[in-house]
Amino acid sequence: MRHPAAFLLLLVCSALPNGFDCCRADEPVPSIQFSEHLIADKYAYAYGIAAADFDGDGDLDLTSADYTPHNMLYLFENDGQAAFKRHIIQKDDPERLERHLVGDVDGDGDLDVVIVKNLRGDLLWFENNGKPTDETLWSRHVITTDLPGAYDVALADFDRDGDLDVAASSWVLGNQFAWFENDGSPAEGEWKKRIIEQDILETRTMRAADFDGDGDMDLLGTARQAPAVLWYENHKEAGEVHWTKHVIDDQSPCPAHGNPADMDGDGDMDVVMALGFYYRPESDDGKASTKRQDNKILWYENNPAVHGPWKQHVIGAEFDDAFEAIAGDLDGDGDIDVAATSWRNPGSVAWFENLGDSKKPWKRHMLKENWRSANQVILADINGDGRLDIAACAEHGSYEFRWWRNEGRKPKAD
């Protein structure tokens, strides 16, 4: 592959005031069904998942990170029917292997993994040798050891030279966004680091998309404590990549994780986002969200004619401890729905049904409740039936990786 992996589309959910969801009064909308399945449990800490066809057999395999004391990166080989065999990509890599993305880093036609090593400050990539399930560890390569608190990654050809570069965030230990140039020899030493922005408090989301429609890849970033939802415009000057910062939202407390998605079908990239993590009602913790109304899933409307903050559309109100949102057409009706996680109050997975107009109220469907520390969520057709399924992991208190099979619409009553 010579192109970045397809972006996970994220979607936010809108609801009526006071947190009540609705259907159209004139036309009840049948809900699709999901069945829940455990992929793996007994993690030390489950955070960081992805889906891709690593072995080239036409179905989607899964990866999942597990940190100290396990210190593993797993590959779950899909047999085509969503039964999984676990393999080990990496072991004995201390501290926090976490969020990661998939792409052909070395241009050899198979899919590699780019991953953060949180706290230690490393960005790594693991090389797929073309036989990813042969029970040998993948070759480990260092992109950088200079990203304190390395937290999230984006893959794209930012300099348009034909190979995949990496951008990353750095949590509270680094408080920066940076990008790293792939010079065409990605296995030969550390990559050149360039700062995008520094001294911005608690950087989290890092995703790539063409927000201005000019053909190159821009960046989406969040800084939870700043607070800020931002996009960075990619432009070249004298052959060098430069970044111009634009504010999407600098007023909403505690933005956590979101993704680019064309939420209104107008041809440009909007953003879905989870706001409110972490939620500590009645607390005097200045780092926390304290008001329930600040916890929500929403989407920001990209309107090139309007400068300044982007217009908000609420998808799901009072979604406590909202952590991550992702978008895709779950019910096959041609519009974009959203799946989201809430973290610890009490921890849950939900999907939000777009009833035909993304700017009007959405319908909330809970998939799993009381799933403590639910965090990353992805959408993928895991069993190859043409429907998007949902997968998510949960760390302290749950220690699991699960998926929800999309069973389609409920049979109509006779």
Side-chain angles (χ1 to χ4, degrees):
M1 288 172 54
R2 302 299 298 176
H3 300 287
F7 304 111
L8 292 178
L9 291 178
L10 299 184
L11 201 24
V12 269
C13 36
S14 63
L16 287 175
N18 304 317
F20 290 99
D21 302 297
C22 74
C23 295
R24 295 174 186 156
D26 60 336
E27 182 184 350
V29 179
S31 298
I32 54 174
Q33 301 176 99
F34 286 89
S35 59
E36 180 179 322
H37 305 271
L38 178 69
I39 298 168
D41 60 1
K42 299 180 181 178
Y43 282 76
Y45 183 97
Y47 188 31
I49 55 177
D53 183 7
F54 289 99
D55 52 9
D57 64 355
D59 54 39
L60 292 179
D61 311 299
L62 301 169
T63 51
S64 177
D66 189 3
Y67 92 153
T68 301
H70 295 167
N71 303 320
M72 301 279 196
L73 178 61
Y74 305 119
L75 169 62
F76 294 93
E77 179 187 2
N78 190 342
D79 70 352
Q81 303 297 317
F84 298 99
K85 181 180 180 181
R86 186 169 70 175
H87 305 273
I88 297 174
I89 293 174
Q90 174 68 4
K91 65 180 181 179
D92 301 328
D93 215 317
E95 292 182 3
R96 297 186 180 183
L97 292 172
E98 290 186 356
R99 292 176 75 96
H100 52 276
L101 283 183
V102 176
D104 185 4
V105 174
D106 52 4
D108 65 353
D110 52 36
L111 293 174
D112 312 300
V113 175
V114 177
I115 192 167
V116 303
K117 192 178 176 90
N118 185 249
L119 296 185
R120 192 173 285 264
D122 298 356
L123 278 179
L124 309 172
W125 73 278
F126 295 113
E127 181 181 353
N128 183 346
N129 68 0
K131 299 177 180 179
T133 60
D134 67 357
E135 308 306 335
T136 61
L137 297 182
W138 295 21
S139 296
R140 179 186 190 273
H141 304 285
V142 177
I143 294 173
T144 188
T145 57
D146 181 25
L147 191 67
Y151 185 81
D152 197 9
V153 293
L155 295 179
D157 184 5
F158 297 114
D159 53 9
R160 303 180 78 171
D161 66 353
D163 50 37
L164 286 177
D165 308 301
V166 173
S169 60
S170 61
W171 197 52
V172 296
L173 300 182
N175 295 318
Q176 63 186 249
F177 296 117
W179 78 283
F180 301 84
E181 182 184 357
N182 183 348
D183 66 0
S185 54
E188 297 177 10
E190 295 193 20
W191 300 14
K192 187 173 182 179
K193 177 183 179 180
R194 294 180 174 86
I195 292 291
I196 298 169
E197 185 173 6
Q198 56 190 350
D199 300 323
I200 178 168
L201 194 55
E202 195 179 329
T203 54
R204 286 198 174 248
T205 292
M206 187 96 285
R207 286 290 180 263
D210 183 4
F211 287 108
D212 53 5
D214 65 353
D216 56 32
M217 283 296 168
D218 310 303
L219 286 166
L220 168 68
T222 62
R224 195 187 70 88
Q225 289 187 52
V229 181
L230 307 162
W231 76 277
Y232 294 89
E233 180 184 356
N234 179 349
H235 56 95
K236 271 193 170 183
E237 296 176 8
E240 295 290 328
V241 174
H242 294 268
W243 303 92
T244 300
K245 180 170 75 172
H246 302 276
V247 173
I248 294 174
D249 181 6
D250 61 359
Q251 300 298 312
S252 300
C254 300
H257 289 281
N259 285 261
D262 184 2
M263 300 298 297
D264 49 8
D266 65 354
D268 55 34
M269 280 292 174
D270 310 299
V271 172
V272 295
M273 186 61 59
L275 301 178
F277 169 74
Y278 67 43
Y279 178 43
R280 293 294 178 269
E282 311 304 326
S283 170
D284 59 359
D285 185 347
K287 299 176 183 178
S289 164
T290 59
K291 298 177 181 178
R292 196 169 186 220
Q293 60 264 35
D294 292 334
N295 290 249
K296 65 187 76 170
I297 305 296
L298 55 72
W299 69 276
Y300 296 103
E301 183 178 354
N302 182 354
N303 184 347
V306 176
H307 298 285
W310 294 15
K311 185 175 182 179
Q312 299 183 16
H313 303 278
V314 175
I315 292 173
E318 297 185 355
F319 191 63
D320 294 352
D321 238 347
F323 189 84
E324 184 155 20
I326 186 167
D329 184 3
L330 290 167
D331 54 8
D333 64 356
D335 54 35
I336 301 295
D337 310 297
V338 172
T341 54
S342 71
W343 195 58
R344 284 196 181 170
N345 284 322
S348 62
V349 182
W351 77 279
F352 298 85
E353 185 176 358
N354 185 341
L355 301 180
D357 186 339
S358 60
K359 299 178 183 180
K360 292 183 178 180
W362 297 54
K363 185 177 181 181
R364 182 183 316 198
H365 305 275
M366 300 304 299
L367 290 175
K368 190 171 186 65
E369 299 185 77
N370 300 310
W371 199 39
R372 186 171 173 81
S373 306
N375 50 58
Q376 190 172 7
V377 57
I378 62 174
L379 302 183
D381 181 6
I382 293 172
N383 62 329
D385 65 356
R387 304 184 187 109
L388 283 177
D389 307 300
I390 299 170
C393 51
E395 27 104 350
H396 291 311
S398 299
Y399 309 106
E400 293 179 333
F401 182 18
R402 292 182 175 271
W403 74 287
W404 288 264
R405 176 172 175 161
N406 186 339
E407 307 286 358
R409 293 193 176 274
K410 295 178 181 179
K412 292 183 179 180
D414 293 335

